[in-house]
Amino acid sequence: MSFYRKDKYLTFLESNHGGTGHDTYKSLLAVGCIDSLSTTYNGAFSKLEEFHNEYQDWIFGYLGYDLKNDLEDLKSENTDGAQFPDLYFYVRGSHF
C-alpha cells in the first residue's frame, strides 16, 4: 500500500495483547484526515467532546502537558520551543 507515503496523517496502534480485555483489535492503522481539532488548553476538553460528538467515530491524536492548566489553576513558566498545540486530534480518512 503506497498511498500512505504522501499522506501526513498516519497513526499505527498496536495492542500488545495487554490482557486487559479492552484490546478488541490486534492493531489499527489510520490514514488520511477529513477534519482535525488543534487548540490551546483553554476549554480544550469541551472542544474535544464537541469534536467527538460531531463525528461519532474513531479519533486519533494527543494530549499535551499544559492541559493541566485547564483542569487546575496552574501555569507553565517554561519556554515552549516545539510550539505544538496542547491538544490535537483528527478524524481518519480510512482505517485498516
Side-chain angles (χ1 to χ4, degrees):
M1 292 190 266
S2 62
F3 62 88
Y4 68 88
R5 290 187 183 141
K6 63 183 176 201
D7 206 311
K8 69 179 187 173
Y9 293 91
L10 186 139
T11 302
F12 179 74
L13 302 174
E14 173 64 43
S15 74
N16 285 328
H17 300 291
T20 64
H22 300 290
D23 51 352
T24 56
Y25 294 94
K26 180 179 177 186
S27 58
L28 184 67
L29 175 66
V31 179
C33 173
I34 58 173
D35 196 6
S36 65
L37 170 66
S38 176
T39 187
T40 62
Y41 64 83
N42 295 315
F45 292 108
S46 296
K47 293 173 188 173
L48 179 59
E49 183 177 24
E50 289 173 20
F51 185 72
H52 183 256
N53 288 340
E54 180 179 349
Y55 289 99
Q56 294 294 308
D57 199 359
W58 287 81
I59 58 174
F60 301 88
Y62 68 86
L63 305 170
Y65 176 76
D66 281 339
L67 288 174
K68 68 183 180 349
N69 302 341
D70 195 33
L71 300 173
E72 297 187 30
D73 187 22
L74 299 170
K75 85 178 203 182
S76 298
E77 300 290 335
N78 300 323
T79 303
D80 182 4
Q83 297 189 358
F84 290 143
D86 295 324
L87 180 146
Y88 186 87
F89 279 84
Y90 72 96
V91 178
R92 89 294 183 266
S94 307
H95 70 277
F96 305 93

